[in-house]
Amino acid sequence: MFALFGRGEVSPGSVALFGWGDLLEFRRDTFVTLPDADVLAAAVARVAKVFGGMTARVDETGCGQCFDAGEVALLRTPDVPVPADLARRVAQKHPSHWDDQPAIIRRVLPELVVILAEGAGERESDLMARGLAAAGWPQWPRQQAQAVAGFLDAWWTRTLRTQSPPTLASEVFESCVTAGSSVTPWLARWEMEKGPIARQHLAESVHWWREELDSGDSPFSWWWGAEAEGRAAWQEVRLWLAGQGR
């Protein structure tokens, strides 16, 4: 299991994990002069540039019950747009549906980030985020990991600064947590946002999570990893919320 914001411990043959400090530096250097909406658009465009032309493995067969031969053939073909419905289903399916799930996720990422940014549909984005987590993106080459982290941060930041975002702030938060297997960076971003819109989203999210806050059950339904880790992550959120005077 990887952790998005670890200390950089590396298993043999892997690359260093992408860290929160890397994201802050990347975002400052890349997006510092852009308005919020343009930051998200630039992050989406960066994903398209970095992952454009990538394909599934030439011998990828996929799950024949969930994807037909034409769909799998399209995923093996470079530089052909993937229909939004196919990208959505690819990301939502359990990784065991694929011979090489990380390659599949890289193939559909340009379309996937557009779906997420524009609004995935009620309670769907965190399931798609599970596919991203399962692909182990922080262990991808640095440019690829930067593009994913930059998109997630831009999506979350834009949500916190938008009165009526396409997706509820609570769901975007859960999705970013699921994608990164950590709550820490997303809470840190929320902490930095002092405006009334971010506070409004905080109050609305507390209301949305009221049952989980009372019971202690985690709302991270699609956490990729040990169940105990998901519970510990939710406990971190509860402690943070207590400090916000909820």
Side-chain angles (χ1 to χ4, degrees), residues 123 156 169-174 187 190 201-220 234 237 240-241 246:
R123 315 313 296 176
W156 177 224
S170 57
E171 186 174 352
V172 175
F173 178 79
E174 292 167 20
L187 290 179
W190 218 337
H201 288 315
L202 179 62
E204 291 173 350
S205 296
V206 167
H207 178 73
W208 184 265
W209 292 325
R210 61 191 182 280
E211 292 185 8
E212 289 84 356
L213 288 168
D214 290 340
S215 68
D217 295 334
S218 171
F220 306 137
W234 178 236
V237 176
W240 182 82
L241 288 172
R246 72 171 181 88

PDB file of all heavy atoms in Angstrom, residues 123 156 169-174 187 190 201-220 234 237 240-241 246:
ATOM      1  N   ARG A 123     -22.388  11.032  -5.976  1.00  0.00           N
ATOM      2  CA  ARG A 123     -21.685   9.966  -5.268  1.00  0.00           C
ATOM      3  C   ARG A 123     -20.976   8.994  -6.211  1.00  0.00           C
ATOM      4  O   ARG A 123     -20.953   7.786  -5.963  1.00  0.00           O
ATOM      5  CB  ARG A 123     -22.631   9.196  -4.343  1.00  0.00           C
ATOM      6  CG  ARG A 123     -23.560  10.045  -3.505  1.00  0.00           C
ATOM      7  CD  ARG A 123     -22.886  11.206  -2.793  1.00  0.00           C
ATOM      8  NE  ARG A 123     -21.896  10.801  -1.804  1.00  0.00           N
ATOM      9  CZ  ARG A 123     -21.132  11.654  -1.125  1.00  0.00           C
ATOM     10  NH1 ARG A 123     -21.227  12.964  -1.367  1.00  0.00           N
ATOM     11  NH2 ARG A 123     -20.279  11.216  -0.243  1.00  0.00           N
ATOM     12  N   TRP A 156      -9.729  20.483  -5.807  1.00  0.00           N
ATOM     13  CA  TRP A 156     -10.153  20.708  -4.426  1.00  0.00           C
ATOM     14  C   TRP A 156     -10.162  22.205  -4.095  1.00  0.00           C
ATOM     15  O   TRP A 156     -11.112  22.724  -3.511  1.00  0.00           O
ATOM     16  CB  TRP A 156      -9.246  19.940  -3.495  1.00  0.00           C
ATOM     17  CG  TRP A 156      -9.461  20.094  -2.016  1.00  0.00           C
ATOM     18  CD1 TRP A 156      -8.499  20.275  -1.057  1.00  0.00           C
ATOM     19  CD2 TRP A 156     -10.707  20.022  -1.289  1.00  0.00           C
ATOM     20  NE1 TRP A 156      -9.059  20.345   0.190  1.00  0.00           N
ATOM     21  CE2 TRP A 156     -10.420  20.188   0.085  1.00  0.00           C
ATOM     22  CE3 TRP A 156     -12.036  19.857  -1.678  1.00  0.00           C
ATOM     23  CZ2 TRP A 156     -11.402  20.194   1.067  1.00  0.00           C
ATOM     24  CZ3 TRP A 156     -13.028  19.861  -0.689  1.00  0.00           C
ATOM     25  CH2 TRP A 156     -12.703  20.031   0.656  1.00  0.00           C
ATOM     26  N   ALA A 169     -18.661  19.718  -1.906  1.00  0.00           N
ATOM     27  CA  ALA A 169     -17.323  19.765  -1.335  1.00  0.00           C
ATOM     28  C   ALA A 169     -17.005  18.503  -0.539  1.00  0.00           C
ATOM     29  O   ALA A 169     -15.879  17.992  -0.576  1.00  0.00           O
ATOM     30  CB  ALA A 169     -17.168  20.998  -0.446  1.00  0.00           C
ATOM     31  N   SER A 170     -17.987  17.982   0.176  1.00  0.00           N
ATOM     32  CA  SER A 170     -17.751  16.767   0.961  1.00  0.00           C
ATOM     33  C   SER A 170     -17.351  15.600   0.056  1.00  0.00           C
ATOM     34  O   SER A 170     -16.470  14.797   0.405  1.00  0.00           O
ATOM     35  CB  SER A 170     -19.001  16.394   1.768  1.00  0.00           C
ATOM     36  OG  SER A 170     -20.125  16.225   0.911  1.00  0.00           O
ATOM     37  N   GLU A 171     -17.968  15.521  -1.121  1.00  0.00           N
ATOM     38  CA  GLU A 171     -17.651  14.423  -2.038  1.00  0.00           C
ATOM     39  C   GLU A 171     -16.303  14.631  -2.714  1.00  0.00           C
ATOM     40  O   GLU A 171     -15.547  13.669  -2.922  1.00  0.00           O
ATOM     41  CB  GLU A 171     -18.741  14.260  -3.086  1.00  0.00           C
ATOM     42  CG  GLU A 171     -18.510  13.038  -3.973  1.00  0.00           C
ATOM     43  CD  GLU A 171     -19.659  12.760  -4.929  1.00  0.00           C
ATOM     44  OE1 GLU A 171     -20.712  13.412  -4.807  1.00  0.00           O
ATOM     45  OE2 GLU A 171     -19.489  11.892  -5.799  1.00  0.00           O
ATOM     46  N   VAL A 172     -15.978  15.874  -3.063  1.00  0.00           N
ATOM     47  CA  VAL A 172     -14.657  16.137  -3.639  1.00  0.00           C
ATOM     48  C   VAL A 172     -13.574  15.805  -2.617  1.00  0.00           C
ATOM     49  O   VAL A 172     -12.550  15.199  -2.947  1.00  0.00           O
ATOM     50  CB  VAL A 172     -14.548  17.598  -4.110  1.00  0.00           C
ATOM     51  CG1 VAL A 172     -13.128  17.906  -4.599  1.00  0.00           C
ATOM     52  CG2 VAL A 172     -15.554  17.879  -5.216  1.00  0.00           C
ATOM     53  N   PHE A 173     -13.806  16.192  -1.368  1.00  0.00           N
ATOM     54  CA  PHE A 173     -12.860  15.864  -0.306  1.00  0.00           C
ATOM     55  C   PHE A 173     -12.683  14.354  -0.200  1.00  0.00           C
ATOM     56  O   PHE A 173     -11.558  13.843  -0.173  1.00  0.00           O
ATOM     57  CB  PHE A 173     -13.345  16.431   1.029  1.00  0.00           C
ATOM     58  CG  PHE A 173     -12.463  16.099   2.194  1.00  0.00           C
ATOM     59  CD1 PHE A 173     -11.292  16.808   2.421  1.00  0.00           C
ATOM     60  CD2 PHE A 173     -12.799  15.079   3.071  1.00  0.00           C
ATOM     61  CE1 PHE A 173     -10.464  16.503   3.506  1.00  0.00           C
ATOM     62  CE2 PHE A 173     -11.989  14.759   4.157  1.00  0.00           C
ATOM     63  CZ  PHE A 173     -10.812  15.469   4.376  1.00  0.00           C
ATOM     64  N   GLU A 174     -13.780  13.614  -0.125  1.00  0.00           N
ATOM     65  CA  GLU A 174     -13.706  12.160  -0.017  1.00  0.00           C
ATOM     66  C   GLU A 174     -12.974  11.561  -1.215  1.00  0.00           C
ATOM     67  O   GLU A 174     -12.217  10.589  -1.080  1.00  0.00           O
ATOM     68  CB  GLU A 174     -15.112  11.568   0.087  1.00  0.00           C
ATOM     69  CG  GLU A 174     -15.830  11.901   1.386  1.00  0.00           C
ATOM     70  CD  GLU A 174     -17.317  11.571   1.334  1.00  0.00           C
ATOM     71  OE1 GLU A 174     -17.720  10.762   0.470  1.00  0.00           O
ATOM     72  OE2 GLU A 174     -18.082  12.127   2.155  1.00  0.00           O
ATOM     73  N   LEU A 187      -6.926  18.440   4.209  1.00  0.00           N
ATOM     74  CA  LEU A 187      -7.243  19.228   5.396  1.00  0.00           C
ATOM     75  C   LEU A 187      -6.358  20.472   5.462  1.00  0.00           C
ATOM     76  O   LEU A 187      -6.804  21.551   5.864  1.00  0.00           O
ATOM     77  CB  LEU A 187      -7.066  18.386   6.662  1.00  0.00           C
ATOM     78  CG  LEU A 187      -8.075  17.257   6.891  1.00  0.00           C
ATOM     79  CD1 LEU A 187      -7.738  16.511   8.171  1.00  0.00           C
ATOM     80  CD2 LEU A 187      -9.500  17.789   6.939  1.00  0.00           C
ATOM     81  N   TRP A 190      -7.810  23.030   3.221  1.00  0.00           N
ATOM     82  CA  TRP A 190      -9.014  23.594   3.833  1.00  0.00           C
ATOM     83  C   TRP A 190      -8.634  24.595   4.926  1.00  0.00           C
ATOM     84  O   TRP A 190      -9.249  25.649   5.071  1.00  0.00           O
ATOM     85  CB  TRP A 190      -9.873  22.472   4.423  1.00  0.00           C
ATOM     86  CG  TRP A 190     -11.344  22.668   4.263  1.00  0.00           C
ATOM     87  CD1 TRP A 190     -12.002  23.840   4.068  1.00  0.00           C
ATOM     88  CD2 TRP A 190     -12.341  21.647   4.281  1.00  0.00           C
ATOM     89  NE1 TRP A 190     -13.366  23.610   3.969  1.00  0.00           N
ATOM     90  CE2 TRP A 190     -13.594  22.288   4.101  1.00  0.00           C
ATOM     91  CE3 TRP A 190     -12.308  20.266   4.446  1.00  0.00           C
ATOM     92  CZ2 TRP A 190     -14.794  21.580   4.082  1.00  0.00           C
ATOM     93  CZ3 TRP A 190     -13.497  19.569   4.429  1.00  0.00           C
ATOM     94  CH2 TRP A 190     -14.733  20.202   4.226  1.00  0.00           C
ATOM     95  N   HIS A 201     -18.741  25.654   2.974  1.00  0.00           N
ATOM     96  CA  HIS A 201     -18.555  24.250   2.599  1.00  0.00           C
ATOM     97  C   HIS A 201     -18.236  23.391   3.820  1.00  0.00           C
ATOM     98  O   HIS A 201     -18.652  22.230   3.895  1.00  0.00           O
ATOM     99  CB  HIS A 201     -17.442  24.124   1.569  1.00  0.00           C
ATOM    100  CG  HIS A 201     -17.815  24.630   0.204  1.00  0.00           C
ATOM    101  ND1 HIS A 201     -19.018  24.321  -0.392  1.00  0.00           N
ATOM    102  CD2 HIS A 201     -17.147  25.421  -0.688  1.00  0.00           C
ATOM    103  CE1 HIS A 201     -19.084  24.899  -1.587  1.00  0.00           C
ATOM    104  NE2 HIS A 201     -17.957  25.575  -1.781  1.00  0.00           N
ATOM    105  N   LEU A 202     -17.515  23.957   4.765  1.00  0.00           N
ATOM    106  CA  LEU A 202     -17.201  23.219   5.985  1.00  0.00           C
ATOM    107  C   LEU A 202     -18.482  22.899   6.759  1.00  0.00           C
ATOM    108  O   LEU A 202     -18.697  21.746   7.171  1.00  0.00           O
ATOM    109  CB  LEU A 202     -16.234  24.030   6.852  1.00  0.00           C
ATOM    110  CG  LEU A 202     -15.830  23.404   8.184  1.00  0.00           C
ATOM    111  CD1 LEU A 202     -15.107  22.081   7.958  1.00  0.00           C
ATOM    112  CD2 LEU A 202     -14.943  24.365   8.979  1.00  0.00           C
ATOM    113  N   ALA A 203     -19.326  23.900   6.922  1.00  0.00           N
ATOM    114  CA  ALA A 203     -20.577  23.681   7.648  1.00  0.00           C
ATOM    115  C   ALA A 203     -21.467  22.667   6.936  1.00  0.00           C
ATOM    116  O   ALA A 203     -22.065  21.782   7.573  1.00  0.00           O
ATOM    117  CB  ALA A 203     -21.315  25.014   7.814  1.00  0.00           C
ATOM    118  N   GLU A 204     -21.536  22.766   5.617  1.00  0.00           N
ATOM    119  CA  GLU A 204     -22.367  21.836   4.850  1.00  0.00           C
ATOM    120  C   GLU A 204     -21.801  20.416   4.909  1.00  0.00           C
ATOM    121  O   GLU A 204     -22.565  19.444   4.956  1.00  0.00           O
ATOM    122  CB  GLU A 204     -22.482  22.312   3.410  1.00  0.00           C
ATOM    123  CG  GLU A 204     -23.302  23.598   3.266  1.00  0.00           C
ATOM    124  CD  GLU A 204     -23.261  24.161   1.857  1.00  0.00           C
ATOM    125  OE1 GLU A 204     -22.446  23.663   1.038  1.00  0.00           O
ATOM    126  OE2 GLU A 204     -24.039  25.103   1.572  1.00  0.00           O
ATOM    127  N   SER A 205     -20.491  20.301   4.902  1.00  0.00           N
ATOM    128  CA  SER A 205     -19.871  18.976   4.963  1.00  0.00           C
ATOM    129  C   SER A 205     -20.097  18.335   6.318  1.00  0.00           C
ATOM    130  O   SER A 205     -20.372  17.129   6.408  1.00  0.00           O
ATOM    131  CB  SER A 205     -18.370  19.083   4.672  1.00  0.00           C
ATOM    132  OG  SER A 205     -18.145  19.542   3.355  1.00  0.00           O
ATOM    133  N   VAL A 206     -19.999  19.129   7.375  1.00  0.00           N
ATOM    134  CA  VAL A 206     -20.281  18.605   8.714  1.00  0.00           C
ATOM    135  C   VAL A 206     -21.717  18.084   8.768  1.00  0.00           C
ATOM    136  O   VAL A 206     -21.988  17.013   9.339  1.00  0.00           O
ATOM    137  CB  VAL A 206     -20.050  19.699   9.778  1.00  0.00           C
ATOM    138  CG1 VAL A 206     -20.646  19.286  11.128  1.00  0.00           C
ATOM    139  CG2 VAL A 206     -18.556  19.975   9.926  1.00  0.00           C
ATOM    140  N   HIS A 207     -22.644  18.822   8.179  1.00  0.00           N
ATOM    141  CA  HIS A 207     -24.033  18.363   8.148  1.00  0.00           C
ATOM    142  C   HIS A 207     -24.145  17.060   7.353  1.00  0.00           C
ATOM    143  O   HIS A 207     -24.848  16.126   7.782  1.00  0.00           O
ATOM    144  CB  HIS A 207     -24.918  19.437   7.517  1.00  0.00           C
ATOM    145  CG  HIS A 207     -26.353  19.037   7.402  1.00  0.00           C
ATOM    146  ND1 HIS A 207     -27.205  18.968   8.488  1.00  0.00           N
ATOM    147  CD2 HIS A 207     -27.097  18.652   6.317  1.00  0.00           C
ATOM    148  CE1 HIS A 207     -28.405  18.569   8.086  1.00  0.00           C
ATOM    149  NE2 HIS A 207     -28.365  18.370   6.773  1.00  0.00           N
ATOM    150  N   TRP A 208     -23.446  16.980   6.222  1.00  0.00           N
ATOM    151  CA  TRP A 208     -23.512  15.769   5.397  1.00  0.00           C
ATOM    152  C   TRP A 208     -22.938  14.565   6.142  1.00  0.00           C
ATOM    153  O   TRP A 208     -23.425  13.436   5.997  1.00  0.00           O
ATOM    154  CB  TRP A 208     -22.740  16.001   4.095  1.00  0.00           C
ATOM    155  CG  TRP A 208     -22.839  14.861   3.142  1.00  0.00           C
ATOM    156  CD1 TRP A 208     -21.962  13.825   3.000  1.00  0.00           C
ATOM    157  CD2 TRP A 208     -23.898  14.611   2.208  1.00  0.00           C
ATOM    158  NE1 TRP A 208     -22.394  12.943   2.037  1.00  0.00           N
ATOM    159  CE2 TRP A 208     -23.590  13.400   1.541  1.00  0.00           C
ATOM    160  CE3 TRP A 208     -25.067  15.295   1.873  1.00  0.00           C
ATOM    161  CZ2 TRP A 208     -24.406  12.862   0.557  1.00  0.00           C
ATOM    162  CZ3 TRP A 208     -25.883  14.740   0.891  1.00  0.00           C
ATOM    163  CH2 TRP A 208     -25.554  13.553   0.250  1.00  0.00           C
ATOM    164  N   TRP A 209     -21.907  14.797   6.960  1.00  0.00           N
ATOM    165  CA  TRP A 209     -21.228  13.721   7.681  1.00  0.00           C
ATOM    166  C   TRP A 209     -21.779  13.502   9.087  1.00  0.00           C
ATOM    167  O   TRP A 209     -21.154  12.798   9.893  1.00  0.00           O
ATOM    168  CB  TRP A 209     -19.740  14.042   7.796  1.00  0.00           C
ATOM    169  CG  TRP A 209     -18.972  14.028   6.525  1.00  0.00           C
ATOM    170  CD1 TRP A 209     -19.161  13.206   5.440  1.00  0.00           C
ATOM    171  CD2 TRP A 209     -17.857  14.877   6.178  1.00  0.00           C
ATOM    172  NE1 TRP A 209     -18.248  13.485   4.455  1.00  0.00           N
ATOM    173  CE2 TRP A 209     -17.437  14.502   4.877  1.00  0.00           C
ATOM    174  CE3 TRP A 209     -17.185  15.896   6.834  1.00  0.00           C
ATOM    175  CZ2 TRP A 209     -16.368  15.133   4.230  1.00  0.00           C
ATOM    176  CZ3 TRP A 209     -16.130  16.532   6.195  1.00  0.00           C
ATOM    177  CH2 TRP A 209     -15.721  16.146   4.910  1.00  0.00           C
ATOM    178  N   ARG A 210     -22.920  14.058   9.400  1.00  0.00           N
ATOM    179  CA  ARG A 210     -23.384  14.049  10.788  1.00  0.00           C
ATOM    180  C   ARG A 210     -23.491  12.633  11.358  1.00  0.00           C
ATOM    181  O   ARG A 210     -23.146  12.409  12.523  1.00  0.00           O
ATOM    182  CB  ARG A 210     -24.710  14.798  10.913  1.00  0.00           C
ATOM    183  CG  ARG A 210     -25.864  14.225  10.097  1.00  0.00           C
ATOM    184  CD  ARG A 210     -27.056  15.189  10.064  1.00  0.00           C
ATOM    185  NE  ARG A 210     -28.193  14.652   9.327  1.00  0.00           N
ATOM    186  CZ  ARG A 210     -28.294  14.670   8.012  1.00  0.00           C
ATOM    187  NH1 ARG A 210     -27.334  15.203   7.286  1.00  0.00           N
ATOM    188  NH2 ARG A 210     -29.371  14.167   7.413  1.00  0.00           N
ATOM    189  N   GLU A 211     -23.972  11.682  10.560  1.00  0.00           N
ATOM    190  CA  GLU A 211     -24.106  10.315  11.074  1.00  0.00           C
ATOM    191  C   GLU A 211     -22.744   9.695  11.333  1.00  0.00           C
ATOM    192  O   GLU A 211     -22.533   9.029  12.359  1.00  0.00           O
ATOM    193  CB  GLU A 211     -24.903   9.459  10.086  1.00  0.00           C
ATOM    194  CG  GLU A 211     -26.365   9.849   9.965  1.00  0.00           C
ATOM    195  CD  GLU A 211     -27.135   8.903   9.065  1.00  0.00           C
ATOM    196  OE1 GLU A 211     -26.568   7.860   8.664  1.00  0.00           O
ATOM    197  OE2 GLU A 211     -28.299   9.202   8.755  1.00  0.00           O
ATOM    198  N   GLU A 212     -21.807   9.899  10.412  1.00  0.00           N
ATOM    199  CA  GLU A 212     -20.463   9.331  10.584  1.00  0.00           C
ATOM    200  C   GLU A 212     -19.722   9.996  11.741  1.00  0.00           C
ATOM    201  O   GLU A 212     -18.946   9.341  12.457  1.00  0.00           O
ATOM    202  CB  GLU A 212     -19.654   9.494   9.298  1.00  0.00           C
ATOM    203  CG  GLU A 212     -20.116   8.604   8.143  1.00  0.00           C
ATOM    204  CD  GLU A 212     -21.263   9.195   7.342  1.00  0.00           C
ATOM    205  OE1 GLU A 212     -21.755  10.281   7.735  1.00  0.00           O
ATOM    206  OE2 GLU A 212     -21.674   8.577   6.345  1.00  0.00           O
ATOM    207  N   LEU A 213     -19.957  11.289  11.950  1.00  0.00           N
ATOM    208  CA  LEU A 213     -19.323  11.977  13.069  1.00  0.00           C
ATOM    209  C   LEU A 213     -19.841  11.449  14.396  1.00  0.00           C
ATOM    210  O   LEU A 213     -19.092  11.329  15.371  1.00  0.00           O
ATOM    211  CB  LEU A 213     -19.560  13.487  12.964  1.00  0.00           C
ATOM    212  CG  LEU A 213     -18.774  14.193  11.862  1.00  0.00           C
ATOM    213  CD1 LEU A 213     -19.304  15.610  11.650  1.00  0.00           C
ATOM    214  CD2 LEU A 213     -17.286  14.231  12.187  1.00  0.00           C
ATOM    215  N   ASP A 214     -21.110  11.117  14.434  1.00  0.00           N
ATOM    216  CA  ASP A 214     -21.686  10.574  15.675  1.00  0.00           C
ATOM    217  C   ASP A 214     -21.282   9.129  15.914  1.00  0.00           C
ATOM    218  O   ASP A 214     -21.008   8.730  17.047  1.00  0.00           O
ATOM    219  CB  ASP A 214     -23.213  10.681  15.627  1.00  0.00           C
ATOM    220  CG  ASP A 214     -23.708  12.113  15.729  1.00  0.00           C
ATOM    221  OD1 ASP A 214     -22.935  12.966  16.218  1.00  0.00           O
ATOM    222  OD2 ASP A 214     -24.850  12.392  15.305  1.00  0.00           O
ATOM    223  N   SER A 215     -21.232   8.352  14.836  1.00  0.00           N
ATOM    224  CA  SER A 215     -20.966   6.912  14.983  1.00  0.00           C
ATOM    225  C   SER A 215     -19.488   6.556  14.953  1.00  0.00           C
ATOM    226  O   SER A 215     -19.081   5.521  15.481  1.00  0.00           O
ATOM    227  CB  SER A 215     -21.673   6.137  13.871  1.00  0.00           C
ATOM    228  OG  SER A 215     -21.086   6.435  12.609  1.00  0.00           O
ATOM    229  N   GLY A 216     -18.686   7.408  14.307  1.00  0.00           N
ATOM    230  CA  GLY A 216     -17.270   7.076  14.127  1.00  0.00           C
ATOM    231  C   GLY A 216     -17.007   6.252  12.884  1.00  0.00           C
ATOM    232  O   GLY A 216     -15.842   5.957  12.571  1.00  0.00           O
ATOM    233  N   ASP A 217     -18.069   5.854  12.174  1.00  0.00           N
ATOM    234  CA  ASP A 217     -17.894   5.094  10.935  1.00  0.00           C
ATOM    235  C   ASP A 217     -17.339   6.001   9.840  1.00  0.00           C
ATOM    236  O   ASP A 217     -17.783   7.136   9.681  1.00  0.00           O
ATOM    237  CB  ASP A 217     -19.227   4.498  10.474  1.00  0.00           C
ATOM    238  CG  ASP A 217     -19.760   3.464  11.442  1.00  0.00           C
ATOM    239  OD1 ASP A 217     -18.951   2.858  12.165  1.00  0.00           O
ATOM    240  OD2 ASP A 217     -20.995   3.278  11.479  1.00  0.00           O
ATOM    241  N   SER A 218     -16.395   5.487   9.074  1.00  0.00           N
ATOM    242  CA  SER A 218     -15.756   6.300   8.043  1.00  0.00           C
ATOM    243  C   SER A 218     -16.664   6.487   6.833  1.00  0.00           C
ATOM    244  O   SER A 218     -17.316   5.537   6.388  1.00  0.00           O
ATOM    245  CB  SER A 218     -14.450   5.638   7.592  1.00  0.00           C
ATOM    246  OG  SER A 218     -13.924   6.294   6.455  1.00  0.00           O
ATOM    247  N   PRO A 219     -16.700   7.698   6.264  1.00  0.00           N
ATOM    248  CA  PRO A 219     -17.449   7.910   5.022  1.00  0.00           C
ATOM    249  C   PRO A 219     -16.634   7.554   3.779  1.00  0.00           C
ATOM    250  O   PRO A 219     -17.139   7.687   2.665  1.00  0.00           O
ATOM    251  CB  PRO A 219     -17.736   9.414   5.058  1.00  0.00           C
ATOM    252  CG  PRO A 219     -16.541   9.986   5.739  1.00  0.00           C
ATOM    253  CD  PRO A 219     -16.135   8.957   6.785  1.00  0.00           C
ATOM    254  N   PHE A 220     -15.388   7.133   3.984  1.00  0.00           N
ATOM    255  CA  PHE A 220     -14.532   6.819   2.841  1.00  0.00           C
ATOM    256  C   PHE A 220     -14.853   5.409   2.344  1.00  0.00           C
ATOM    257  O   PHE A 220     -14.120   4.443   2.568  1.00  0.00           O
ATOM    258  CB  PHE A 220     -13.055   6.941   3.239  1.00  0.00           C
ATOM    259  CG  PHE A 220     -12.695   8.279   3.852  1.00  0.00           C
ATOM    260  CD1 PHE A 220     -11.881   8.350   4.966  1.00  0.00           C
ATOM    261  CD2 PHE A 220     -13.196   9.456   3.318  1.00  0.00           C
ATOM    262  CE1 PHE A 220     -11.558   9.568   5.536  1.00  0.00           C
ATOM    263  CE2 PHE A 220     -12.887  10.691   3.882  1.00  0.00           C
ATOM    264  CZ  PHE A 220     -12.066  10.742   5.001  1.00  0.00           C
ATOM    265  N   TRP A 234     -10.266   8.823   9.005  1.00  0.00           N
ATOM    266  CA  TRP A 234     -11.480   9.509   9.414  1.00  0.00           C
ATOM    267  C   TRP A 234     -11.328  10.081  10.822  1.00  0.00           C
ATOM    268  O   TRP A 234     -11.813  11.185  11.107  1.00  0.00           O
ATOM    269  CB  TRP A 234     -12.675   8.566   9.345  1.00  0.00           C
ATOM    270  CG  TRP A 234     -13.967   9.183   9.799  1.00  0.00           C
ATOM    271  CD1 TRP A 234     -14.807   8.732  10.772  1.00  0.00           C
ATOM    272  CD2 TRP A 234     -14.584  10.378   9.289  1.00  0.00           C
ATOM    273  NE1 TRP A 234     -15.900   9.553  10.905  1.00  0.00           N
ATOM    274  CE2 TRP A 234     -15.785  10.579  10.001  1.00  0.00           C
ATOM    275  CE3 TRP A 234     -14.224  11.288   8.297  1.00  0.00           C
ATOM    276  CZ2 TRP A 234     -16.623  11.655   9.750  1.00  0.00           C
ATOM    277  CZ3 TRP A 234     -15.058  12.371   8.046  1.00  0.00           C
ATOM    278  CH2 TRP A 234     -16.249  12.540   8.773  1.00  0.00           C
ATOM    279  N   VAL A 237      -9.762  13.349  10.561  1.00  0.00           N
ATOM    280  CA  VAL A 237     -10.717  14.382  10.153  1.00  0.00           C
ATOM    281  C   VAL A 237     -11.553  14.825  11.344  1.00  0.00           C
ATOM    282  O   VAL A 237     -11.778  16.032  11.552  1.00  0.00           O
ATOM    283  CB  VAL A 237     -11.628  13.863   9.029  1.00  0.00           C
ATOM    284  CG1 VAL A 237     -12.695  14.903   8.677  1.00  0.00           C
ATOM    285  CG2 VAL A 237     -10.815  13.523   7.791  1.00  0.00           C
ATOM    286  N   TRP A 240      -9.604  17.094  13.518  1.00  0.00           N
ATOM    287  CA  TRP A 240      -9.446  18.397  12.874  1.00  0.00           C
ATOM    288  C   TRP A 240     -10.733  19.218  12.967  1.00  0.00           C
ATOM    289  O   TRP A 240     -10.688  20.413  13.280  1.00  0.00           O
ATOM    290  CB  TRP A 240      -9.051  18.195  11.417  1.00  0.00           C
ATOM    291  CG  TRP A 240      -8.806  19.468  10.682  1.00  0.00           C
ATOM    292  CD1 TRP A 240      -7.661  20.229  10.676  1.00  0.00           C
ATOM    293  CD2 TRP A 240      -9.733  20.159   9.826  1.00  0.00           C
ATOM    294  NE1 TRP A 240      -7.822  21.338   9.883  1.00  0.00           N
ATOM    295  CE2 TRP A 240      -9.077  21.329   9.344  1.00  0.00           C
ATOM    296  CE3 TRP A 240     -11.035  19.921   9.427  1.00  0.00           C
ATOM    297  CZ2 TRP A 240      -9.678  22.243   8.492  1.00  0.00           C
ATOM    298  CZ3 TRP A 240     -11.652  20.821   8.566  1.00  0.00           C
ATOM    299  CH2 TRP A 240     -10.982  21.963   8.107  1.00  0.00           C
ATOM    300  N   LEU A 241     -11.866  18.589  12.729  1.00  0.00           N
ATOM    301  CA  LEU A 241     -13.131  19.294  12.809  1.00  0.00           C
ATOM    302  C   LEU A 241     -13.397  19.791  14.222  1.00  0.00           C
ATOM    303  O   LEU A 241     -13.931  20.892  14.412  1.00  0.00           O
ATOM    304  CB  LEU A 241     -14.275  18.383  12.354  1.00  0.00           C
ATOM    305  CG  LEU A 241     -14.338  18.082  10.854  1.00  0.00           C
ATOM    306  CD1 LEU A 241     -15.387  17.004  10.570  1.00  0.00           C
ATOM    307  CD2 LEU A 241     -14.654  19.353  10.062  1.00  0.00           C
ATOM    308  N   ARG A 246     -16.629  22.854  15.395  1.00  0.00           N
ATOM    309  CA  ARG A 246     -17.868  22.462  14.709  1.00  0.00           C
ATOM    310  C   ARG A 246     -19.041  22.381  15.686  1.00  0.00           C
ATOM    311  O   ARG A 246     -18.876  22.129  16.854  1.00  0.00           O
ATOM    312  CB  ARG A 246     -17.671  21.117  14.011  1.00  0.00           C
ATOM    313  CG  ARG A 246     -17.595  19.906  14.946  1.00  0.00           C
ATOM    314  CD  ARG A 246     -17.631  18.607  14.130  1.00  0.00           C
ATOM    315  NE  ARG A 246     -17.589  17.424  14.981  1.00  0.00           N
ATOM    316  CZ  ARG A 246     -18.682  16.858  15.485  1.00  0.00           C
ATOM    317  NH1 ARG A 246     -19.867  17.370  15.248  1.00  0.00           N
ATOM    318  NH2 ARG A 246     -18.586  15.763  16.233  1.00  0.00           N
TER     319      ARG A 246
END
